[in-house]
Amino acid sequence: AEKSVARLRSIVDKVSQSETNGKLKDAKDALWFREFESELQGEIFTNTFVKQDGMQLLFSFMDQSSSANVTKMAVNCLYAACEFPSPLEYIQKTEGAVESLYTLIYKDSLKLCNAV
């Protein structure tokens, strides 16, 4: 989980740079989300991910990404993680997390609809 958090942090850093306009330039980063989604299907991994601020990074990525397909993969990761109690507790207990999720849903609904 530590490696995944570090990788997600580097991806968020790349996407947040102004010259990227929210797009991932490296296809390997996009492919990583597919592998990451399957890792989130294990409860121990997911709990560790949440404890190491992984959910915050996932929210941050979804907020800053302007690529519809990659955002959809990140949403799939969030969906997979929420099969377990730890990510749901994070969303419920972290101030602003639910509002952030609603904002993402409404602000990016067109982007996500295009991706689907």
Side-chain angles (χ1 to χ4, degrees), residues 4-5 7-12 15 32-33 36-37 40 45-46 49-50 52-65 70-82 87 90-91 100-101 104 108:
S4 293
V5 170
R7 180 71 183 262
L8 185 55
R9 184 171 283 118
S10 79
I11 290 172
V12 169
V15 169
W32 175 82
F33 275 103
F36 179 59
E37 182 182 352
L40 286 169
F45 177 91
T46 302
F49 174 75
V50 172
Q52 296 183 350
D53 295 328
M55 291 293 285
Q56 178 187 354
L57 290 168
L58 193 56
F59 273 90
S60 182
F61 174 79
M62 289 186 294
D63 186 45
Q64 295 179 33
S65 172
V70 181
T71 303
K72 181 179 179 279
M73 286 190 275
V75 169
N76 288 344
C77 290
L78 178 63
Y79 181 76
C82 287
Y90 171 87
I91 292 170
S100 176
L101 192 54
L104 285 168
D108 295 334

Side-chain angles (χ1 to χ4, degrees), residues 12-23 25 64 66:
V12 169
D13 289 344
K14 290 177 192 175
V15 169
S16 65
Q17 295 173 1
S18 60
E19 64 270 7
T20 65
N21 293 323
K23 298 216 183 281
K25 302 293 185 187
Q64 295 179 33
S66 64

Side-chain angles (χ1 to χ4, degrees), residues 77-102:
C77 290
L78 178 63
Y79 181 76
C82 287
E83 292 289 321
F84 303 107
S86 183
L88 290 174
E89 288 172 12
Y90 171 87
I91 292 170
Q92 292 169 343
K93 292 181 179 180
T94 302
E95 187 175 335
V98 172
E99 292 81 3
S100 176
L101 192 54
Y102 284 137

